[in-house]
């Protein structure tokens, strides 16, 4: 399972990279706006810092403009993946960018049949938003499981990139289903290593060792 970090924050990227857990980064207009500053400088710094794929999202809503933006976005680095929304114009742009060999990530996907369209058109990644589906009382991970079954049935190469992640159970379910990638908020990736029994166990080991040393 690949871990992407869902952020445009350079400090978060640096920290997770130092842990050795950074396989890539995903951004979106909201995350870029939250990071602030000049977005072009931010994008260039992220692409330089990250050894793996970096998803940068188009803003345009016509396929002609999306393709123009895509050509600009890929200039930030060889690791750029162009993010396209799951709308008709996004699919037209996807079709064209696939033919040009530009890596793509189809985003704002909420159903298995949307994901099927992206796979048929050769998307590199498809991003189902599981947290937003869960918030509506639907099972985001059930949709991911159905995507996995369909992609395997037809041998589609498109990678399932689980997005809109809210907690460690999404990571567990991603692993059980066999989705290819999960993009995690910094808080969630840092939560994965924590368990209260680990903390109490370590405290107990150290206390016993301290007591043993003091006996001498
Ligand atoms: C991927 O980068 C998606 O844009 C992101 O995971 C969406 O997460 P959100 O539902 O918390 O906005």
């Amino acid at each position: 399972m690949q871990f992407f970090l869902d952020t445009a924050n350079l400090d978060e990227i640096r920290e997770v990279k130092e842990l050795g857990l950074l396989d890539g980064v995903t951004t979106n207009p909201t995350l870029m706006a939250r990071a602030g500053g000049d977005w072009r400088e931010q994008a260039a710094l992220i692409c330089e810092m990250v050894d793996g794929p970096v998803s940068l999202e188009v803003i345009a809503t016509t396929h002609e403009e999306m393709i123009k933006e895509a050509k600009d976005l890929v200039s930030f680095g060889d690791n750029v993946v162009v993010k396209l929304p799951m709308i008709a114009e996004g699919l037209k742009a996807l079709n064209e960018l696939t033919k040009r060999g530009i890596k793509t990530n189809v985003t704002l996907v909420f159903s298995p049949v949307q994901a099927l369209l992206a796979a048929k058109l050769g998307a590199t990644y498809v991003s189902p938003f599981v947290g937003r589906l869960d918030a509506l009382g639907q099972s985001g991970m059930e949709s991911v499981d159905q995507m996995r079954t369909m992609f395997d049935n037809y041998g589609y190469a498109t990678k399932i990139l689980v997005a809109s992640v809210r907690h460690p159970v999404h990571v567990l379910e991603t692993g059980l289903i066999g989705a290819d990638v999960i993009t995690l908020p910094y808080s969630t990736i840092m939560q994965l290593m924590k368990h209260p029994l680990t903390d109490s166990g370590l405290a107990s080991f150290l206390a016993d060792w301290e007591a043993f040393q003091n006996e001498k």
Side-chain angles (χ1 to χ4, degrees):
M1 185 190 320
Q2 288 199 307
F3 277 7
F4 289 1
L5 193 58
D6 205 11
T7 188
N9 180 299
L10 300 179
D11 292 335
E12 292 179 351
I13 294 170
R14 195 171 293 111
E15 170 85 11
V16 174
K17 184 176 181 180
E18 282 170 9
L19 280 168
L21 292 174
L22 187 72
D23 295 317
V25 160
T26 53
T27 71
N28 61 40
T30 302
L31 293 171
M32 291 301 283
R34 194 175 296 161
D38 178 294
W39 76 268
R40 299 186 69 87
E41 283 177 21
Q42 198 76 4
L45 286 168
I46 292 170
C47 291
E48 191 181 330
M49 281 176 74
V50 179
D51 298 331
V54 175
S55 286
L56 300 176
E57 189 161 341
V58 299
I59 298 293
T61 51
T62 66
H63 73 280
E64 297 91 347
E65 288 303 313
M66 287 177 187
I67 290 165
K68 280 184 192 165
E69 278 191 45
K71 289 177 186 171
D72 177 38
L73 292 175
V74 296
S75 68
F76 286 106
D78 295 340
N79 54 342
V80 168
V81 177
V82 176
K83 240 180 167 183
L84 302 162
M86 172 47 77
I87 57 175
E89 291 299 306
L91 294 181
K92 290 177 189 172
L94 169 62
N95 198 15
E96 181 59 30
L97 294 178
T98 299
K99 290 172 185 164
R100 297 183 187 204
I102 292 175
K103 288 189 170 47
T104 52
N105 176 0
V106 178
T107 189
L108 287 167
V109 168
F110 295 95
S111 75
V113 292
Q114 284 180 318
L116 179 61
L117 296 181
K120 279 181 67 68
L121 294 172
T124 312
Y125 300 98
V126 64
S127 291
F129 279 33
V130 295
R132 295 193 191 187
L133 283 167
D134 291 354
L136 291 181
Q138 300 172 27
S139 168
M141 292 312 291
E142 186 177 338
S143 290
V144 171
D145 195 21
Q146 292 168 340
M147 291 171 198
R148 179 76 283 158
T149 300
M150 287 203 289
F151 285 19
D152 293 349
N153 286 347
Y154 296 95
Y156 289 124
T158 298
K159 292 184 182 346
I160 302 171
L161 197 172
V162 176
S164 188
V165 167
R166 297 289 185 266
H167 47 66
V169 174
H170 281 148
V171 180
L172 171 65
E173 291 173 324
T174 294
L176 295 176
I177 290 167
D180 304 279
V181 188
I182 186 163
T183 190
L184 297 150
Y186 175 77
S187 58
T188 303
I189 204 167
M190 298 308 284
Q191 201 180 348
L192 295 178
M193 64 189 80
K194 292 174 184 167
H195 195 291
L197 289 180
T198 303
D199 296 340
S200 60
L202 180 59
S204 170
F205 285 161
L206 297 177
D208 290 348
W209 182 256
E210 181 72 17
F212 172 60
Q213 295 305 304
N214 291 337
E215 282 169 7
K216 294 178 180 175

